[in-house]
Every structure is written in structure tokens, then in C-alpha cells.
Amino acid sequence: MAGPFLFIFTGTGGSGRKTIAHRIGEELGLVPVPSYTTRPPRANEHGKVDQDYKFISRESFAARMASNEFVETTLIGREQYGIRREDLERPMLVKRNAYVIVNTEGADMLKRLYGSSAVRIFLYTDKTTVRERLESKGLSFETIDRYLNNYTEEVIYRKQCEHVIENTELIPTLARIREAIQSHL
């Protein structure tokens, strides 16, 4: 059996990638790989240790970029996001499977870098559900609009992924993802 694997959760904004990735990651003992961002924490992210993001200043981000710490960076709106090489490679060195949550651009880049060790799991849901989920998070109209404008482009990427799963209901979706991941382990 090959491995270790990097499971890449990608898909449309508002598809439930984070919720699902963390549930499955914890259940299957996968190591989470955080994303660094210059974005300020949203209202629901204040005061808690965030497993998705390490919030850092623009200066700190620029310094880490200059010292080549990031394996992947992207600009979304006016904010930068990046995955540190060390965070990705540490679990692999000790033969642990890891997971990361990135946009389609990041998924593509990580697949090119890690080849058959990288397994993309594409999650999506219909546009109406995406809007409802984003609105329930209290995101601004501009942010929701940006997510919805990227929807079509993001959905097209699913054809390149190893696993494509529509997330309409949490429990059946978790079962399909568990099955997909276990097919590699």
C-alpha cells in the first residue's frame, strides 16, 4: 500500500468542505494542515483557536513568502492565503496521512507537486444551498456575491478530481467520503 496520503478537500465555496474535512479527519486520524491568511477573523472566529486558519499580519505573510516558507499562496479578494511547506511535509515524514482544505487553484497546484500521494475530494452543492449557508454565516453581500460568481468555474474543476461528492445531507456525505478515503488506505 502506498502512502502516506495528502487528502485535499476542495470544491465550491459554501459546500461544507471545512465541516466535513474536520469531522472525517478527526475520525480517521488524519493530520490537519492549516492555512495562513492576512484576512481578519470573522465574527464567529474571534477568541477561539482556529483549526482552519492562522491569522497573521501582511508583513509576517510577506516575510514568510520571501523566505520561501509557503508551498502555495493565493490572493482572494484583497487577502492572501498560504500553506506552509513544513506543515504539509511534517506528517508525511512520519508516515501520517494529512488533509488540507483549499480552493481549486490550490488543489491543482498541490496535485502537481505531490502527484499520486495527493487525493482531491471535490465537494459541491447547488447554488441556492450555497447562498443559504453563506447567509447563515452572516457574511457580507459582497463576499456572498464573490462566492457565487466563482461557483461555475469551481464546479467545472470537479472533472479533474479523484472523488466528487455532492453534499446535500451531512451523514450520507460523510459516509461517501469515508468510503472514498478508505479506498486509498
Side-chain angles (χ1 to χ4, degrees), residues 71 84-94 114:
V71 74
R84 283 180 59 224
R85 182 174 283 103
E86 186 186 332
D87 292 337
L88 269 177
E89 293 175 356
R90 191 181 312 115
M92 310 291 242
L93 288 172
V94 293
Y114 292 97

Side-chain angles (χ1 to χ4, degrees), residues 102-121:
V102 291
N103 66 6
T104 55
E105 191 182 297
D108 205 37
M109 206 281 305
L110 291 170
K111 181 65 178 179
R112 282 197 306 273
L113 263 173
Y114 292 97
S116 60
S117 296
V119 178
R120 292 165 296 184
I121 299 168

Side-chain angles (χ1 to χ4, degrees), residues 1 13 16 42 55 69 96 104 115 117 141 148 158 165:
M1 208 28 82
R42 295 185 179 125
F55 298 100
E69 279 185 48
R96 296 271 316 274
T104 55
S117 296
F141 172 77
L148 294 174
R158 76 181 185 270
I165 296 163

